[in-house]
Amino acid sequence: MPIAGSSTSSGLTEKPQDRSEQDIPGPNGGPNPPSNQNIIMERESHDRKRENHASLQLISKRPFKARLESLFAPGGKLRPFRLLRQDISNTRKRYVSDWSYFNQLILASAVYVFFTNLLPGITFASDLYVLTGKAWGTIEVVFSTGLCGIIFSVFSVQPLTILGVTGPFSVLAENIYSLCRDSFHIDFLPFMAWSLIHAAWMHYLLAIFNAHDWTMQYVTTFSADIFSLLNSVIYFHKAIQELQRNHAAVSLASFLYSVIGAVGTFLLAVTLSTANSWKPLFHRYVRMGLTEYAAAISIIFFIGMPHVGELANLDKQTLAVQTSFRPSSPDRTIFFVEFWKLPIAWIFIAIIPGAIITTLFYFDHEISSIICTLDRYGTKKPGGFAWDIVLLGTTTAICGILGIPPSNGLLPQAPLHSESLLHTVKTDIISIDEKIGDRRVEFKEEQEVYEQRWSPFLQAAGILIFVSPPFQHVLGLTPTSVLAGLFLFMGEQSLAVNPILYRFFYILTPPSELPPLPTRVKGYWGIHAYTVLQIVMTGIIFYVTLTVAAPAFPVIIIVLVPARLLLMNRIFDRETLRFVDKWACQDGTPEDDEDRRNGIVIEAEEMGKKEDQVPNQSVLGENFV
């Protein structure tokens, strides 16, 4: 199958002879050794895409029965368990190497993701506590995030995906609770447990019949970049909401300090994140440490600041937490739901919300996995979307039985996790001039992520520790202003790597200052219109998240997929779309043979020359780093 989101290098004709890292120590303090296993995995991933490309060709002229038989034949899209078998094979290839190295950058990534996952989850927990009648609160969200995160870090095929309780599911759960209380007159937790159990077997069916093959292959960076921009906007909005709640709960003096604390947390984290560019100030390892632990240092500093001097006298608002390991609801004593006591009629009715949860989780998790393994992150190991969906269904059912909200792939945190694992790799390419026999060595620097399991495992284990009473107390010391500052920092970090932002800057740039485009691209007007359309769609989707239709916002993202492939080709020039959305032209995707179908042949060398003439193309297209 074409593995959406698993990145492969296009330059497979040159064999890297040696790999060494700059500034980043290896597992034993020295440079990382060459990784022939990664090279083999990269080539196998490329071959899989080319082999499966034939299965994507339209066969509408064949009889319906023949087409149906081809779908279930060996290698067909609906052949049961085909992708699951492949995923199990991929796991064997990568599993040992995923645990084989560990360094300070991986540890820093775990710390960073720990903070960016735990505190936003608690914000959703505060809403759930009120809007689900105390059925779910802080301890349930922390328990779910830590438990599901550990399960996925150990048993999934793609460990870069970060799990947590999402905002859309929180809204959906709140609506289900209202229906149970006001319309159905039944207990919320048993009904939700059955909804999640139904969602589990629906996940299994999607994996068994290779849903990834006939859905996510059509997702391009048009919708992925909109998703990324949407999450940046949501984080900025969450920061404002947090300060608004703080303003309503404390005195004016305390609120003004909260604004200072939020902005200070944000600015200190941003400043420290640029420490690598402070050379020659400090030793390089000091600069690296400040960069990698920027968010953690800023959060800890501003957690302690309100307790210093006269600031300790201010009435401050802190996170609401539990003080014992028991459910938030006073009516429960253990984390277990007697779901079998629900009347049989409601068990069948629970299939409906189960289907909605399945749709939400499937696309959220799949897109999250795709975004965190885009080409700009240099991932080479094979993914395993089908097996991960089986695992997601299993954890969903477990959460329903335990009476805690289920976790799934987080769209903002997954790419932030990949960003935090990026490091520079220098490739030595040895070539021999056949005419004169000279041996020439060329050096190429690339950005890659550490594809490993330690950072997701450590962040999930750290979160799970906070279900214990002592750590819950520590968590309760966190001012909400720090949470607002963290939201600002996460929004900035996500926005800073979004190609939409950089293409928006080009709209504001005078035409005479814009870099040249490849000869086939007619001009910047089409690129500008494409960028404006993405921004407008982001605004529309964000508005939907503020209404009662908020749970349906993933459906809008899904609609963008066929709109990009069927409608935008009629509005935008073909070469413009190819330039700004190259993901759609990769091997095994719907537009990858567009030139061949239109009788156009572009030599690779010619395209390489044209790309060399566009130094800033990476910020316009999908490969922006």
Side-chain angles (χ1 to χ4, degrees):
M1 75 170 187
I3 302 180
S6 63
S7 306
T8 56
S9 171
S10 59
L12 295 176
T13 57
E14 297 176 322
K15 180 179 179 180
Q17 301 296 322
D18 180 55
R19 288 178 181 262
S20 61
E21 295 178 14
Q22 295 180 340
D23 292 342
I24 304 298
N28 300 316
N32 277 353
S35 179
N36 293 329
Q37 182 69 17
N38 284 348
I39 299 172
I40 295 173
M41 290 180 179
E42 181 179 2
R43 296 193 177 198
E44 288 178 349
S45 178
H46 181 270
D47 292 341
R48 282 195 301 271
K49 288 184 177 182
R50 297 306 304 171
E51 290 171 0
N52 285 282
H53 171 60
S55 68
L56 301 177
Q57 308 304 312
L58 296 177
I59 51 175
S60 57
K61 294 183 179 180
R62 298 173 60 187
F64 174 77
K65 182 178 180 180
R67 280 185 283 151
L68 187 62
E69 291 176 351
S70 68
L71 291 176
F72 287 92
K77 288 184 181 180
L78 295 179
R79 180 74 171 186
F81 300 100
R82 177 172 57 83
L83 296 187
L84 283 173
R85 287 194 296 267
Q86 177 179 301
D87 291 347
I88 293 172
S89 175
N90 289 341
T91 304
R92 291 198 300 267
K93 293 177 181 178
R94 67 173 291 170
Y95 197 81
V96 174
S97 65
D98 284 346
W99 294 103
S100 61
Y101 52 84
F102 180 85
N103 58 30
Q104 57 86 22
L105 180 60
I106 293 173
L107 178 61
S109 173
V111 173
Y112 173 56
V113 177
F114 166 81
F115 282 104
T116 57
N117 195 1
L118 176 64
L119 296 182
I122 293 175
T123 300
F124 297 135
S126 63
D127 293 334
L128 284 171
Y129 184 74
V130 175
L131 299 177
T132 61
K134 301 182 180 181
W136 286 341
T138 302
I139 194 168
E140 282 84 6
V141 171
V142 172
F143 192 10
S144 172
T145 303
L147 177 64
C148 296
I150 289 177
I151 291 174
F152 261 81
S153 65
V154 175
F155 298 107
S156 69
V157 183
Q158 179 49 262
L160 292 178
T161 306
I162 299 298
L163 274 71
V165 179
T166 63
F169 175 78
S170 299
V171 175
L172 179 61
E174 292 157 8
N175 291 334
I176 293 175
Y177 172 80
S178 297
L179 289 173
C180 292
R181 181 193 59 189
D182 303 329
S183 301
F184 301 160
H185 304 294
I186 58 175
D187 291 337
F188 165 68
L189 287 178
F191 184 76
M192 176 57 73
W194 273 110
S195 299
L196 298 179
I197 291 171
H198 289 312
W201 61 260
M202 292 180 189
H203 279 75
Y204 297 158
L205 289 180
L206 289 173
I208 290 171
F209 290 100
N210 318 306
H212 178 81
D213 238 13
W214 38 271
T215 56
M216 305 311 294
Q217 67 189 20
Y218 300 106
V219 176
T220 74
T221 49
F222 172 72
S223 53
D225 288 341
I226 289 176
F227 231 145
S228 179
L229 180 59
L230 173 67
N231 282 287
S232 299
V233 174
I234 287 176
Y235 273 126
F236 291 134
H237 181 248
K238 287 291 183 183
I240 296 173
Q241 283 185 317
E242 198 63 50
L243 290 175
Q244 286 176 334
R245 285 194 289 264
N246 189 273
H247 180 252
V250 300
S251 64
L252 179 60
S254 181
F255 169 70
L256 292 177
Y257 172 75
S258 296
V259 175
I260 296 173
V263 175
T265 302
F266 166 67
L267 292 180
L268 180 59
V270 170
T271 302
L272 293 178
S273 68
T274 64
N276 268 335
S277 63
W278 294 359
K279 189 177 181 180
L281 189 65
F282 303 129
H283 189 276
R284 62 173 182 148
Y285 289 114
V286 175
R287 297 195 303 270
M288 290 167 55
L290 292 175
T291 299
E292 293 153 6
Y293 294 96
I297 294 172
S298 180
I299 290 170
I300 293 173
F301 179 83
F302 279 95
I303 285 177
M305 184 61 69
H307 301 280
V308 176
E310 295 183 8
L311 292 176
N313 298 324
L314 290 175
D315 54 323
K316 50 186 175 292
Q317 187 180 34
T318 58
L319 294 172
V321 296
Q322 293 292 104
T323 57
S324 61
F325 182 67
R326 57 167 294 165
S328 299
S329 174
D331 300 329
R332 300 175 63 201
T333 57
I334 60 173
F335 288 100
F336 186 75
V337 177
E338 296 178 341
F339 57 92
W340 60 87
K341 293 184 178 180
L342 189 69
I344 188 68
W346 294 110
I347 292 177
F348 283 99
I349 293 175
I351 294 176
I352 298 174
I356 297 174
I357 293 170
T358 300
T359 303
L360 178 65
F361 276 25
Y362 173 74
F363 284 99
D364 270 8
H365 194 89
E366 289 269 318
I367 294 175
S368 177
S369 298
I370 289 173
I371 291 177
C372 74
T373 54
L374 288 174
D375 279 349
R376 61 174 173 257
Y377 300 128
T379 54
K380 294 180 174 60
K381 294 183 180 181
F385 293 89
W387 171 253
D388 286 358
I389 290 300
V390 167
L391 199 59
L392 180 63
T394 303
T395 57
T396 298
I398 291 174
C399 288
I401 295 171
L402 293 177
I404 59 179
S407 295
N408 69 297
L410 295 171
L411 293 169
Q413 281 83 347
L416 289 177
H417 182 214
S418 296
E419 293 291 336
S420 66
L421 291 168
L422 274 173
H423 60 283
T424 302
V425 174
K426 184 173 69 174
T427 305
D428 301 343
I429 303 175
I430 301 176
S431 60
I432 299 177
D433 191 324
E434 296 180 356
K435 295 182 179 180
I436 59 177
D438 285 350
R439 183 174 179 269
R440 184 172 57 185
V441 179
E442 298 178 353
F443 300 95
K444 182 179 180 182
E445 291 186 356
E446 297 177 325
Q447 291 282 314
E448 293 182 1
V449 300
Y450 285 112
E451 297 182 73
Q452 40 72 49
R453 297 176 185 269
W454 283 111
S455 56
F457 176 82
L458 291 176
Q459 69 87 25
I463 290 175
L464 190 60
I465 290 175
F466 277 80
V467 300
S468 63
F471 285 95
Q472 287 254 323
H473 175 71
V474 172
L475 202 60
L477 299 176
T478 307
T480 55
S481 60
V482 172
L483 182 60
L486 179 63
F487 277 136
L488 291 174
F489 179 66
M490 292 175 61
E492 185 272 338
Q493 293 288 290
S494 178
L495 185 63
V497 297
N498 195 317
I500 296 177
L501 174 66
Y502 290 84
R503 284 192 262 108
F504 175 73
F505 288 159
Y506 276 83
I507 296 177
L508 306 178
T509 304
S512 59
E513 300 295 328
L514 293 172
L517 294 169
T519 55
R520 287 185 171 275
V521 181
K522 296 181 180 179
Y524 271 97
W525 285 108
I527 296 172
H528 294 341
Y530 180 90
T531 303
V532 170
L533 177 61
Q534 285 185 304
I535 294 173
V536 171
M537 290 306 305
T538 303
I540 293 173
I541 297 171
F542 176 68
Y543 174 77
V544 171
T545 64
L546 303 179
T547 67
V548 294
F553 91 87
V555 177
I556 303 178
I557 298 292
I558 295 169
V559 172
L560 292 178
V561 175
R564 158 64 182 89
L565 297 173
L566 301 177
L567 299 180
M568 291 180 64
N569 286 329
R570 304 179 182 181
I571 302 174
F572 292 92
D573 177 73
R574 180 181 67 88
E575 291 301 328
T576 297
L577 289 177
R578 179 178 290 270
F579 184 71
V580 295
D581 193 9
K582 291 194 293 184
W583 177 266
C585 306
Q586 289 191 355
D587 294 341
T589 51
E591 296 179 4
D592 71 333
D593 65 340
E594 196 173 59
D595 286 332
R596 291 185 292 275
R597 284 189 280 109
N598 291 328
I600 301 174
V601 178
I602 301 179
E603 296 294 337
E605 295 181 0
E606 180 185 352
M607 290 299 295
K609 292 178 181 178
K610 290 177 181 178
E611 291 182 0
D612 290 340
Q613 298 171 1
V614 189
N616 292 314
Q617 179 175 349
S618 60
V619 301
L620 297 174
E622 183 270 325
N623 289 324
F624 167 71
V625 177

